[in-house]
Amino acid sequence: MKEAYPVFLTEDTKENGFLVYVPGLEIHTEAADLYDAIQMARDAISLKVADLELDEKEIPTPMTYEEGFAKVSKEYGCLEGIMTYVDINTESYLSRLKNKSVRKNCSIPVWMDDEVKKYGISCSKVLQNALAMKIAEEREKDNIGDIRNENKKW
């Protein structure tokens, strides 16, 4: 799901940072600077919406700018700050969560194992790289796209 949610950012002079509030989703977070505040908002919104998606629960429709501003004003009486929109892409977010490792057994000849140990080669990393290249070749054949651009951890 791709969407944009209104986010209210206000400077926290006591803590030298920013407070973040997402009206409609009742999300509160904080960050050291404006850049991190926007990133924290994106991450928090993505996590909440992805959880709702996975649990097959209703996902609140994003408020309009005016509705968000009115809610901030009513609940906090605070109008000193920035009301902006933060975009999310839960498909991208969920795919990153799926990047955890799974165990696969792979058999290699003894002589190869000796060389792997001798040179300190990581079999897991070599296998991941080889599989990424093979998947990229197959995707190219299917005209899907290059997997190596989806995850830079390889």
Side-chain angles (χ1 to χ4, degrees):
M1 177 179 133
K2 293 180 182 179
E3 195 58 79
Y5 282 85
V7 174
F8 186 74
L9 308 164
T10 187
E11 206 164 348
D12 182 5
T13 54
K14 293 177 187 172
E15 299 293 326
N16 282 339
F18 282 84
L19 300 175
V20 180
Y21 174 59
V22 184
L25 291 177
E26 303 310 313
I27 293 173
H28 296 83
T29 187
E30 58 187 67
D33 56 43
L34 185 58
Y35 176 83
D36 286 338
I38 293 169
Q39 294 301 317
M40 292 292 287
R42 181 173 291 116
D43 194 44
I45 296 167
S46 296
L47 181 59
K48 180 151 188 170
V49 172
D51 277 346
L52 291 171
E53 280 181 342
L54 290 172
D55 293 340
E56 297 181 3
K57 293 184 179 175
E58 183 179 343
I59 299 167
T61 304
M63 294 183 162
T64 65
Y65 183 91
E66 292 77 16
E67 290 169 335
F69 208 78
K71 184 163 182 161
V72 169
S73 177
K74 181 181 175 187
E75 290 186 14
Y76 297 100
C78 170
L79 296 177
E80 290 186 32
I82 302 165
M83 180 66 81
T84 188
Y85 282 94
V86 171
D87 64 320
I88 64 161
N89 179 343
T90 56
E91 291 170 23
S92 172
Y93 191 81
L94 288 171
S95 73
R96 287 196 315 262
L97 293 178
K98 290 180 183 177
N99 194 35
K100 71 177 189 173
S101 296
V102 292
R103 188 166 186 80
K104 295 286 182 186
N105 288 332
C106 177
S107 299
I108 58 174
V110 172
W111 71 265
M112 194 177 282
D113 186 52
D114 292 341
E115 295 295 307
V116 164
K117 289 175 185 172
K118 178 180 174 181
Y119 294 108
I121 297 170
S122 167
C123 288
S124 291
K125 187 169 185 166
V126 170
L127 181 58
Q128 286 178 32
N129 288 336
L131 286 171
M133 290 190 317
K134 183 64 176 171
I135 291 168
E137 289 172 13
E138 295 299 321
R139 282 183 161 197
E140 192 173 301
K141 288 179 193 174
D142 291 341
N143 206 16
I144 294 175
D146 191 342
I147 191 172
R148 292 169 292 191
N149 292 331
E150 292 178 13
N151 188 335
K152 300 295 183 187
K153 291 187 178 182
W154 289 319

